[in-house]
Amino acid sequence: MPLLMASVLILVTVLVWPSPAGDVGLLAWINVTVMLVLSLLLLRYGIRLLRDRAEPRPGSRLRARLVVGMVGLLLVPAMVIQLAASQMVERGMDVWFDVRVDTLLDRALNLAQGFYERLEKDMKRSLLGYISDGVMIAAVSGNMEYGATTNYLAEIREKEGWQKAELFDLNERQVAGVQVGELSTLESEPLSDAARLSMRLGRVATELKTGPDGEMAVGYAPLIGVTSVVGLLRVEMKLPAGVIQNARAVESDYRNYRQLEHNRQAIAETFTHVMLFVTLVVVLLAGLVGLLFARRLTAPIGDLAYALKRVTEGDLDVEIAELSQDELGSLARSFNKMTNRLRHHAEAIEQGQQDLTHALDKSRQRQFVLESLLANLHTGVLLVDGDGRVRLLNQAVRDILHLPVNWVPSVDLLQASQGNLQDIGDFYNELKHQKEEHLQREFDISLPEESRHVHVLARGARLNASASDFSGYLLVIDDISELAEAQRNKAWAEVARRLAHEIKNPLTPIKLSAERLQRRFRVQVDNHQVFDACTQAIIAQVERLQRLIADFSTLARMPQPKIREVPVNVLLQEMNDLFHGYRQVEVRFCDPHWQCPCDPDQVRQVLINLMDNAVSASSDKVAIRLYAVLSDHWVEWHVEDDGDGIEEAAVSRLFEAYYSTKASGSGLGLAIAKRIAEDHHGELLLVSAAAPTHFCLRLPRQVDGGEA
C-alpha cells in the first residue's frame, strides 16, 4: 500500500509539474517539493516493510495499516473536493471572460479614444486658420506694438475658447501671451520637442500634458511668412475633468481586463496549486495524527513482542509498563507476573551452579595469578618436566635469548638447544645429573641477528613430586649484560686510576733525562745516528705512555658535560679546518640556523676520534664524508667512509674499553666517545660495518625541557 500511494503521488507530481515557459509561482514548487518528499518517505517506508517482511518489527504492520487507512479515508474526499473546485474555477473563468464583456470593453475604449481624436481635429482645424495670419506675422517680425498684439491674442483666445495663447519668434522668445483671467507670465515655459518639430516641418501639431489644474490639450501652429516659418503660436485648452477621468478609467480597466485574460491559465493554475497545497497540508496533518494514534495503540503490542524476544534470549529482568486499565494493560500485568516467577526459578538454578563451580574458580584463579606473574616478569622462566620437555616458558625468556619459533611447550629442551643456545642445554644437563637441587652459572650467548653477545645468569632448581604429582626442573634466566659491563667499566676505571697514579710520576723525569742526553752528549758520541735514534725512541715512547695515561684518566673520571646551545655549522667548520689537508675528506655543511644543545669540547672530541679512525683505516683514494641531519627529536652526526670496513668478529666488541683493531691504539677512543654520548642522553651507533662504514652520533634536541 505505501508503494502504491507513492506511485500515485509521483504521477500527480508529473501532471502538475510547472511548465518552464510559464510564470511559475513559489507555491507550485512548494507543492511539487512536498509531494516528492512524501513520495520518497512512502517509498522508504514501503521498502523497509518489504525488507522486514521475513521478520517485521513488532506492531509495524498494524501501525502501517492504521496510518494508511486513516490517510486513505481523508485522501479520497480531498481529491474529490480538489476536482470539484477545479471545475468550478474553470466554469467561473468562462463566465468572467465572456465574449459580451470583451465587446463592451472594446466599445468603451473606442468611445474614449474618439473623444481624444475629435478634440485633436477641432484644435488643428482652428489652428490652421492662423498659419498665415498677417497680424501675428507682423508681431513676430517686430512690426507691431506689444499692447496691440496682446489685445489681438486675447480676442482670438476668447473666440476659440482657449485657456491660453502665446506667440513666439524663431529664436523661441515669447513675443506676447494671454490666458484666462490674467495676462501671461513674463517667463513662459520652454518649447517642447513637439513645438520645435512643428516649426521645423511647418505643420500644425497637438499634444496632451498634465499640469497642476488637470490635463491640458496643447496645440502648435507655425506662422508662415512669404518664404518660410517666422514664428509659432502655442495655445492650451483645458479638458473637462469628468470626461477625462472616465476615459482614463476605461483605459485602465481595459488594460487590467486584458492582463487578466492573458493570465487566465496562470490564475487557474494558482487556484489549483492553492487547493492542492491545502489538500497536502490536511493529508500531512491527518498522517501525523494517524501515526501518533497508531503508535499509541500499537506501542504496548510492540513492547510485549520485544519483551517476549528478550525472554527467549534469556533476559528475565524485562518488564512492560502498565499504562492503561484495558485489555492491553491486563496483558502487560500477566506478562510481568510470568517473568517474575521465571526469574525466581532461574536464580535458584544459578545459585546451585555457583556452588558447584566455586572450587573450580579457586584453582583457575591460582593459575591466572601464576600466568600473570610469569607474563609480567622481566626474568626468563623455563619449566621442564622429567622427560626434558618444556612445559612452560614466558615472554621474557624469548626476549632475552631471542628464541626461534620452534621453542613452544612440549618441545624437547636438549634437541632445541643447538647452535648459540648450546649453553642452555649444557646447563640443564648439568642440573639434571648433579646431586644438589640448585645450580647457578654465568655464560655468554651469541645473538647473530643483532651481532652482539648477551651475558646471562642462569639458576636452576629441581622440583620434586608433591601433591601436584609433578616433578621436573625450573630454570630462571636473567640478562646481566649491563650489570657485567658496569662492573667491567668500574674495574677498568679503578685499574686506570691506579696505573695513571703509578706511571705518571716517573715519565716526566725519563723524558727530561732523554732530552738532556741529546743536548749534552750528542757531540761526544761517535755515531750520531744511533744516538739520536735511541734517545728519540725514548722520548716518543714516553709521550705515547703520557697519552695512554691521559686516556686512562679520562676513562676513570669523565667530567660532566657543560650543555649550551652550539650552532651545528660551527662544529662542522672546525672539522673541515682540521681535516682540510686530506683530499678524500668531504664535510657537508647544513642550515646555518640548526642548533645543538651539547658540550662542544666533548662533541668535538668524539667527532675527531671518528674522523681519525676513518682516515687511519682508509687509503687516500677512499672517500670520507661528515654531515649532520636534523629530525624532530635528534641532532645526528654521521661519519661514513668507503674503506674495507670492520671485521664481523670485532663488531660486537667495538665499544669495549681497551679493545682495539689497531696495533698502536689504546682501545679507549670509542669507549670514551660512547661514554660522552650517554652523558648527553644520546647514543653512538655503528649503522653499518662496511660498504660504507657508517657511525652515527645521535644527541637529543631537547635538554631540561628546552628545545634547540
Side-chain angles (χ1 to χ4, degrees):
M1 184 62 71
L3 295 178
L4 180 61
M5 294 180 66
S7 303
V8 173
L9 274 177
I10 293 175
L11 179 61
V12 174
T13 304
V14 173
L15 293 177
V16 300
W17 191 272
S19 176
D23 186 9
V24 182
L26 178 62
L27 187 60
W29 289 113
I30 292 177
N31 288 335
V32 170
T33 304
V34 171
M35 287 189 292
L36 286 177
V37 171
L38 283 175
S39 303
L40 293 176
L41 291 177
L42 288 172
L43 283 174
R44 180 175 177 272
Y45 188 51
I47 292 172
R48 190 178 69 179
L49 289 178
L50 290 177
R51 188 173 61 248
D52 298 341
R53 182 170 55 184
E55 189 177 355
R57 295 183 179 181
S60 60
R61 291 184 177 179
L62 179 59
R63 186 183 303 118
R65 291 175 183 175
L66 290 174
V67 173
V68 171
M70 294 185 67
V71 173
L73 289 176
L74 184 63
L75 188 60
V76 172
M79 295 301 296
V80 173
I81 294 174
Q82 173 78 14
L83 294 175
S86 299
Q87 291 296 322
M88 291 177 63
V89 170
E90 188 67 26
R91 293 181 180 275
M93 289 289 182
D94 293 339
V95 174
W96 295 342
F97 298 102
D98 191 61
V99 177
R100 292 171 293 178
V101 177
D102 291 345
T103 304
L104 181 61
L105 286 176
D106 289 338
R107 291 177 179 176
L109 182 62
N110 293 332
L111 181 62
Q113 292 177 350
F115 171 76
Y116 286 118
E117 291 176 357
R118 189 186 63 174
L119 183 64
E120 183 181 9
K121 289 180 180 179
D122 292 342
M123 180 174 284
K124 284 184 178 180
R125 185 169 54 250
S126 299
L127 290 173
L128 286 173
Y130 299 101
I131 290 178
S132 302
D133 190 283
V135 177
M136 293 185 185
I137 294 173
V140 297
S141 301
N143 298 326
M144 190 174 181
E145 295 181 356
Y146 177 75
T149 304
T150 304
N151 292 331
Y152 184 72
L153 287 177
E155 292 176 1
I156 294 174
R157 182 200 63 72
E158 186 175 358
K159 175 184 174 181
E160 299 293 342
W162 292 333
Q163 186 75 15
K164 187 177 182 179
E166 294 175 312
L167 196 61
F168 296 88
D169 58 10
L170 284 176
N171 296 324
E172 300 183 5
R173 183 179 59 191
Q174 184 181 16
V175 176
V178 293
Q179 61 184 18
V180 176
E182 56 181 345
L183 296 176
S184 178
T185 58
L186 296 178
E187 294 183 1
S188 64
E189 297 180 1
L191 294 179
S192 64
D193 294 337
R196 295 188 183 94
L197 184 62
S198 176
M199 284 197 301
R200 186 178 299 112
L201 299 178
R203 296 179 181 178
V204 176
T206 61
E207 65 176 345
L208 296 177
K209 72 173 185 177
T210 303
D213 298 332
E215 291 194 359
M216 308 289 291
V218 183
Y220 305 101
L223 301 177
I224 303 175
V226 180
T227 59
S228 62
V229 176
V230 296
L232 179 71
L233 173 64
R234 183 175 70 178
V235 299
E236 294 182 2
M237 184 175 66
K238 186 176 181 181
L239 300 178
V243 176
I244 296 302
Q245 290 179 357
N246 292 334
R248 296 294 186 191
V250 169
E251 292 180 356
S252 177
D253 292 340
Y254 185 82
R255 287 193 299 269
N256 293 336
Y257 178 80
R258 290 305 179 191
Q259 184 66 30
L260 289 174
E261 187 179 18
H262 177 72
N263 297 330
R264 175 179 178 177
Q265 186 64 28
I267 294 173
E269 291 180 358
T270 301
F271 183 81
T272 301
H273 283 294
V274 170
M275 291 296 297
L276 181 59
F277 178 74
V278 173
T279 303
L280 291 175
V281 171
V282 172
V283 171
L284 283 175
L285 293 177
L288 181 60
V289 173
L291 181 62
L292 295 176
F293 176 75
R295 284 186 175 180
R296 184 176 180 83
L297 183 62
T298 59
I301 299 176
D303 293 340
L304 178 61
Y306 177 70
L308 286 172
K309 183 178 179 181
R310 291 181 59 183
V311 169
T312 57
E313 293 174 354
D315 185 7
L316 301 179
D317 294 330
V318 62
E319 289 186 0
I320 301 177
E322 302 174 8
L323 301 178
S324 60
Q325 299 297 326
D326 53 6
E327 290 79 3
L328 292 176
S330 176
L331 182 61
R333 286 190 292 273
S334 300
F335 178 82
N336 292 335
K337 290 180 181 178
M338 179 191 69
T339 55
N340 190 21
R341 291 180 180 177
L342 290 175
R343 185 167 55 251
H344 287 309
H345 291 302
E347 289 176 354
I349 295 173
E350 185 178 359
Q351 182 63 36
Q353 186 179 2
Q354 290 179 356
D355 294 338
L356 293 174
T357 58
H358 183 68
L360 181 61
D361 290 340
K362 288 185 177 180
S363 61
R364 289 178 178 176
Q365 184 177 7
R366 293 172 183 172
Q367 182 180 0
F368 175 75
V369 171
L370 179 60
E371 292 178 353
S372 300
L373 179 62
L374 292 177
N376 291 279
L377 278 178
H378 295 288
T379 299
V381 176
L382 280 171
L383 184 62
V384 186
D385 59 15
D387 298 330
R389 295 189 175 276
V390 176
R391 295 287 298 274
L392 177 67
L393 73 165
N394 63 348
Q395 185 61 35
V397 73
R398 293 183 179 275
D399 297 337
I400 293 173
L401 302 178
H402 290 260
L403 297 178
V405 294
N406 63 333
W407 278 71
V408 294
S410 75
V411 68
D412 188 277
L413 180 62
L414 292 177
Q415 293 181 359
S417 300
Q418 302 294 331
N420 61 321
L421 300 177
Q422 183 64 40
D423 292 334
I424 301 296
D426 295 341
F427 177 77
Y428 165 72
N429 198 24
E430 183 180 358
L431 175 64
K432 183 178 181 180
H433 293 89
Q434 74 169 6
K435 295 181 179 180
E436 289 79 6
E437 295 185 355
H438 299 277
L439 179 64
Q440 179 173 318
R441 294 287 184 271
E442 291 185 20
F443 45 83
D444 291 330
I445 294 180
S446 175
L447 302 178
E449 297 84 358
E450 299 186 2
S451 300
R452 67 183 183 91
H453 293 80
V454 58
H455 191 75
V456 299
L457 172 63
R459 287 168 291 182
R462 182 182 288 109
L463 303 178
N464 295 321
S466 58
S468 61
D469 295 332
F470 177 81
S471 61
Y473 303 91
L474 177 64
L475 278 64
V476 180
I477 299 174
D478 289 296
D479 183 3
I480 60 172
S481 300
E482 295 182 358
L483 178 61
E485 184 178 0
Q487 291 176 348
R488 286 197 302 269
N489 290 337
K490 184 177 180 182
W492 279 113
E494 181 64 22
V495 171
R497 185 182 64 80
R498 294 185 180 182
L499 284 175
H501 178 73
E502 296 295 336
I503 300 175
K504 183 178 181 180
N505 292 332
L507 287 180
T508 301
I510 294 173
K511 181 180 179 182
L512 292 176
S513 298
E515 291 175 348
R516 186 175 180 183
L517 286 173
Q518 279 186 333
R519 290 195 302 270
R520 293 290 302 273
F521 298 103
R522 187 175 185 277
V523 297
Q524 301 178 11
V525 297
D526 296 333
N527 193 338
H528 293 276
Q529 185 177 1
V530 175
F531 181 80
D532 290 340
C534 293
T535 54
Q536 190 62 37
I538 295 174
I539 294 173
Q541 293 302 318
V542 169
E543 290 177 350
R544 180 177 177 276
L545 288 174
Q546 287 178 338
R547 290 194 301 270
L548 183 61
I549 291 171
D551 290 340
F552 283 164
S553 300
T554 302
L555 181 64
R557 185 176 59 187
M558 182 70 68
Q560 290 297 321
K562 299 178 181 178
I563 305 297
R564 62 184 178 90
E565 295 290 341
V566 179
V568 177
N569 266 346
V570 170
L571 294 174
L572 291 176
Q573 183 63 47
E574 292 180 0
M575 294 300 104
N576 187 54
D577 294 340
L578 286 174
F579 294 94
H580 73 279
Y582 298 94
R583 295 181 179 179
Q584 72 271 30
V585 174
E586 177 188 1
V587 179
R588 301 175 185 173
F589 295 96
C590 62
D591 192 315
H593 297 94
W594 288 5
Q595 300 282 331
C596 177
C598 64
D599 186 330
D601 294 332
Q602 294 187 2
V603 173
R604 188 182 300 110
Q605 179 180 352
V606 176
L607 295 178
I608 290 174
N609 181 270
L610 295 177
M611 293 294 291
D612 282 338
N613 290 343
V615 170
S616 61
S618 305
S619 62
D620 295 341
K621 298 181 180 180
V622 173
I624 300 174
R625 296 173 293 276
L626 170 62
Y627 58 92
V629 176
L630 188 68
S631 63
D632 293 338
H633 304 288
W634 303 95
V635 179
E636 298 179 354
W637 310 80
H638 295 266
V639 177
E640 298 178 357
D641 68 81
D642 298 330
D644 297 333
I646 302 173
E647 296 180 359
E648 184 178 355
V651 170
S652 60
R653 303 185 59 191
L654 199 60
F655 296 103
E656 292 183 6
Y658 308 108
Y659 176 80
S660 176
T661 58
K662 298 184 293 186
S664 61
S666 64
L668 297 177
L670 289 179
I672 294 173
K674 185 177 181 181
R675 176 76 175 275
I676 291 174
E678 292 173 350
D679 289 344
H680 281 75
H681 304 288
E683 53 186 349
L684 179 61
L685 303 174
L686 174 62
V687 180
S688 65
T693 305
H694 185 182
F695 284 89
C696 174
L697 172 62
R698 179 181 294 174
L699 302 180
R701 293 182 61 187
Q702 185 175 356
V703 178
D704 295 333
E707 185 172 338

